[in-house]
Amino acid sequence: MSTTGRRISAGMVGGGYGADIGKTHRNGMRLDDRYSLDCGVFGQTRDDSLRLGAELGVAPERIYPDVTTMAEAESARHDGVDLVVVATPNDSHFAIASAFLSRGIHVVCEKPLTLASAQAADLVALAEAKNAILAVPHCYSAYPMVREAARMVRDGALGRVIYIDVEHASGWNATPLEKTGNKQAMWRTDPAVGGPASVVGDLGTHAYHLARYITGLEAEQVSAQLATLVPGRRVFDHATITLRWTGGVPGRIWASMVATGHNHGLRIRVFGERGSLEWQHEDPHHLFVQDLAGETRILTHGMGTLSEESARLTRVGLGHPEGFLEAFANFYRDLADELDARRLRRPSTIRELSFPTGVDGLIGVQLVEAALASNEADGGWVVPASAMAGA
């Protein structure tokens, strides 16, 4: 539990039966005992919501029929919710997040933040106006060895960055699952719900954020080729994006939901003048670092020689595995530290390497739009709005 002796009161919209992401968020919040799940709208039907809410130990009167009722009731309570997690399909994010941010309630919203960057910008502005936190769970940045990679690159261990290669290439949807009744596939391949560039919003934004987080660079130009590799599918399910990062550094993002045989498929390689590094999500405990001669060092989370950024996120001793739920827990712990600091009017706990915010979500949506525009121009170079705004 928090050292203040008070758990952060959390609510959830979405994350019902069959939604693994809802379970992931709830488990991540539980690991450090900093949150209590006190209210929500947990299902598409009232019966499902009541049943799951009861299983989660939520009081019946705080299992609400809809978002508007929840936002109004919770903002009026003396013990109302502090934070609401939005774990619903993409097209609903803006309305749900707005309902709570407008009442000064902090929000964690799944990515992509919205389907349109204008809406994402509105959410960022609303959060700022209401002094509320808007966080986006790009939780790969909360792995200890990703923090180690970021610390090394930002501290110049590789020298000047000369190339960035990142991919999130999964084969989970290499067949038309949407035609089999698979709920996740159905909404992710519906352009009205998941967006026409579904694969960029779903997987490409994670790859993009990981590259930005580790290197501290921003995309100045984007050239994209989007494809639909499963016949009859109504969205793009495969993307190759070439980027020019800050200072003209070249790079590539490969995002695919049809990379046949691949499992999760998230990997980043950063090349510098003096060396390179590589991190893979399916082997998250290790960071591979090579020098100019090709000699490879394998850094393992929990080693006593790692940076404080990595050490503070390591939960068990050297040689013991950690994974996805722990990364979510690290995200929620960093967030809890800041929420407690605000409540107690203490200095901010946000660090250089901290949890992703609504600004990161906005930049991700701007990548999706730049990729669509470039693809329409047959792969022509497009300047993303984030670069024009000096993000």
Side-chain angles (χ1 to χ4, degrees):
M1 185 184 291
S2 167
T3 55
T4 67
R6 175 187 179 277
R7 290 184 179 88
I8 294 161
S9 179
M12 180 172 285
V13 178
Y17 293 113
D20 286 340
I21 195 63
K23 291 187 291 185
T24 301
H25 278 277
R26 292 191 291 268
N27 287 330
M29 285 190 283
R30 289 188 187 116
L31 280 185
D32 291 311
D33 201 22
R34 300 284 294 275
Y35 299 82
S36 60
L37 184 63
D38 297 324
C39 63
V41 180
F42 299 106
Q44 292 183 335
T45 69
R46 179 67 171 151
D47 287 345
D48 281 349
S49 187
L50 286 167
R51 184 156 59 98
L52 180 56
E55 292 174 8
L56 296 171
V58 178
E61 67 273 16
R62 296 181 76 178
I63 305 172
Y64 295 99
D66 56 67
V67 169
T68 300
T69 303
M70 177 177 166
E72 291 176 351
E74 289 297 319
S75 62
R77 293 177 64 107
H78 75 278
D79 61 347
V81 72
D82 299 308
L83 169 79
V84 171
V85 178
V86 181
T88 60
N90 305 347
D91 63 326
S92 62
H93 289 177
F94 176 74
I96 297 170
S98 296
F100 295 103
L101 289 173
S102 64
R103 291 168 171 84
I105 297 171
H106 307 294
V107 168
V108 169
C109 184
E110 265 297 330
K111 53 80 217 157
L113 183 55
T114 59
L115 291 182
S117 63
Q119 289 182 328
D122 286 346
L123 289 182
V124 170
L126 179 58
E128 183 175 355
K130 295 295 182 178
N131 194 31
I133 292 175
L134 172 60
V136 178
H138 286 296
C139 287
Y140 303 109
S141 62
Y143 276 95
M145 299 314 290
V146 169
R147 294 280 173 99
E148 185 71 17
R151 188 74 280 142
M152 291 180 67
V153 174
R154 289 166 180 253
D155 287 353
L158 305 184
R160 182 177 62 87
V161 174
I162 60 174
Y163 186 72
I164 305 165
D165 185 76
V166 57
E167 58 191 51
H168 200 164
S170 167
W172 80 275
N173 209 6
T175 60
L177 288 179
E178 59 270 29
K179 296 180 180 179
T180 69
N182 183 295
K183 290 183 178 180
Q184 292 294 314
M186 288 172 67
W187 75 256
R188 292 181 194 278
T189 57
D190 182 342
V193 179
S198 177
V199 69
V200 184
D202 189 30
L203 302 180
T205 54
H206 273 316
Y208 185 45
H209 178 262
L210 192 63
R212 293 179 52 244
Y213 192 87
I214 288 177
T215 67
L217 303 181
E218 299 290 347
E220 295 182 335
Q221 290 182 300
V222 169
S223 170
Q225 292 184 330
L226 310 182
T228 303
L229 301 187
V230 173
R233 183 164 282 166
R234 296 185 295 156
V235 298
F236 294 116
D237 55 17
H238 186 89
T240 304
I241 304 173
T242 304
L243 303 99
R244 290 173 179 158
W245 295 92
T246 306
V249 174
R252 179 201 70 143
I253 291 174
W254 171 33
S256 180
M257 62 175 78
V258 295
T260 312
H262 271 220
N263 295 321
H264 195 64
L266 178 61
R267 178 177 75 160
I268 184 167
R269 293 180 290 178
V270 179
F271 299 86
E273 289 180 312
R274 297 201 300 268
S276 64
L277 59 78
E278 177 177 344
W279 181 82
Q280 295 189 47
H281 180 255
E282 290 165 39
D283 181 20
H285 313 98
H286 299 121
L287 180 64
F288 296 83
V289 182
Q290 290 185 300
D291 62 17
L292 280 171
E295 180 179 343
T296 301
R297 289 187 298 138
I298 302 175
L299 307 182
T300 304
H301 87 261
M303 291 173 62
T305 55
L306 300 182
S307 70
E308 191 268 343
E309 295 287 359
S310 172
R312 64 182 292 272
L313 298 190
T314 299
R315 293 172 171 273
V316 296
L318 181 65
H320 294 282
E322 298 181 22
F324 193 52
L325 294 180
E326 288 83 357
F328 264 79
N330 289 335
F331 166 83
Y332 274 108
R333 186 174 65 185
D334 278 350
L335 180 57
D337 287 344
E338 180 62 14
L339 291 171
D340 280 343
R342 290 189 176 206
R343 181 171 60 84
L344 297 172
R345 298 185 179 180
R346 293 175 177 171
S348 174
T349 63
I350 295 176
R351 312 156 67 90
E352 180 187 16
L353 300 174
S354 190
F355 60 86
T357 68
V359 173
D360 295 295
L362 168 60
I363 292 172
V365 179
Q366 290 168 335
L367 171 73
V368 176
E369 292 179 342
L372 281 168
S374 173
N375 187 68
E376 284 290 318
D378 198 24
W381 288 103
V382 170
V383 177
S386 55
M388 291 186 285

